[in-house]
């Protein structure tokens, strides 16, 4: 099945990667034990940070919060698949915030629509302590008086 990836390429030092495109979304189908929470980590080259602006993830018809971290020459996007009761394939879909149009050949007679440069995706179980830390990291914070554009995570009850 077409999962919206271009062919394997290599960067200037020979490391393999694949561009996503020509559509903004790309996905992976997994057979996973969904009785426990699972951490997923999408990794791309650090030089692709500009392309990653606005990257979103969805699964089970829900938007999944992503935690973005720069590592040694890589950019990690970490999220969590929460447990579910239903059996079957898990589809994890990512949507690039924008596409870049670049020449597809030296003669510039054709173009490619590039999303993000993809290195790898891993999925593993997450401990209760790691899940608690991750939830704290992605949880919206309280409203700050100095930042009128921030929104409270929970509605405030009106006083009678």
């Amino acid at each position: 099945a077409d999962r919206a990836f271009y062919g394997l390429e290599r960067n200037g030092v020979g490391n393999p990667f694949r561009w996503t495109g020509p559509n903004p979304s790309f996905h992976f189908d997994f057979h996973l034990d969904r009785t426990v929470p699972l951490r997923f980590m999408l990794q791309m080259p650090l030089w692709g940070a500009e392309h990653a602006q606005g990257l979103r993830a969805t699964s089970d018809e829900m938007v999944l919060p992503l935690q973005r971290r720069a590592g040694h020459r890589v950019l990690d996007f970490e999220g969590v698949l929460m447990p579910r009761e239903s059996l079957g394939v898990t589809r994890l879909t990512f949507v690039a915030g924008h596409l870049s149009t670049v020449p597809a050949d030296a003669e510039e007679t054709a173009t490619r629509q590039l999303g993000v440069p993809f290195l790898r995706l891993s999925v593993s179980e997450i401990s209760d302590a790691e899940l608690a830390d991750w939830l704290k990291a992605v949880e919206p914070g309280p409203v700050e008086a100095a930042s009128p554009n921030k929104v409270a995570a929970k509605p405030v009850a009106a006083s009678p």
Side-chain angles (χ1 to χ4, degrees):
D2 177 27
R3 292 199 177 117
F5 287 95
Y6 285 104
L8 188 66
E9 299 181 39
R10 297 195 179 269
N11 68 10
V13 294
N15 295 323
F17 73 95
R18 293 177 77 154
W19 282 104
T20 65
N23 300 312
S25 66
F26 56 101
H27 70 269
F28 302 88
D29 292 331
F30 297 102
H31 293 278
L32 300 168
D33 175 3
R34 294 292 302 277
T35 62
V36 297
L38 300 169
R39 172 197 347 249
F40 63 87
M41 180 96 58
L42 177 78
Q43 199 170 68
M44 65 182 63
L46 193 56
W47 55 260
E50 177 182 311
H51 297 275
Q53 296 296 324
L55 183 68
R56 297 183 325 271
T58 63
S59 186
D60 301 325
E61 299 180 13
M62 295 179 61
V63 174
L64 306 174
L66 292 173
Q67 189 175 12
R68 178 181 168 140
R69 269 195 315 271
H72 181 68
R73 298 184 183 171
V74 295
L75 187 60
D76 294 327
F77 289 88
E78 181 180 295
V80 171
L81 293 166
M82 297 305 284
R84 72 175 189 200
E85 291 182 14
S86 63
L87 299 176
V89 172
T90 295
R91 175 166 284 190
L92 183 55
T93 301
F94 294 90
V95 181
H98 68 279
L99 297 173
S100 301
T101 303
V102 299
D105 55 26
E107 293 79 34
E108 298 187 15
T109 57
T111 60
R112 293 194 304 173
Q113 297 287 97
L114 304 181
V116 298
F118 170 81
L119 289 175
R120 68 186 57 88
L121 176 69
S122 61
V123 180
S124 60
E125 285 189 31
I126 186 170
S127 72
D128 290 342
E130 291 170 320
L131 177 59
D133 290 344
W134 183 84
L135 289 170
K136 286 179 195 169
V138 298
E139 183 177 274
V143 175
E144 298 175 22
S147 301
N149 295 330
K150 286 196 174 183
V151 185
K154 296 178 184 175
V156 178
S159 300

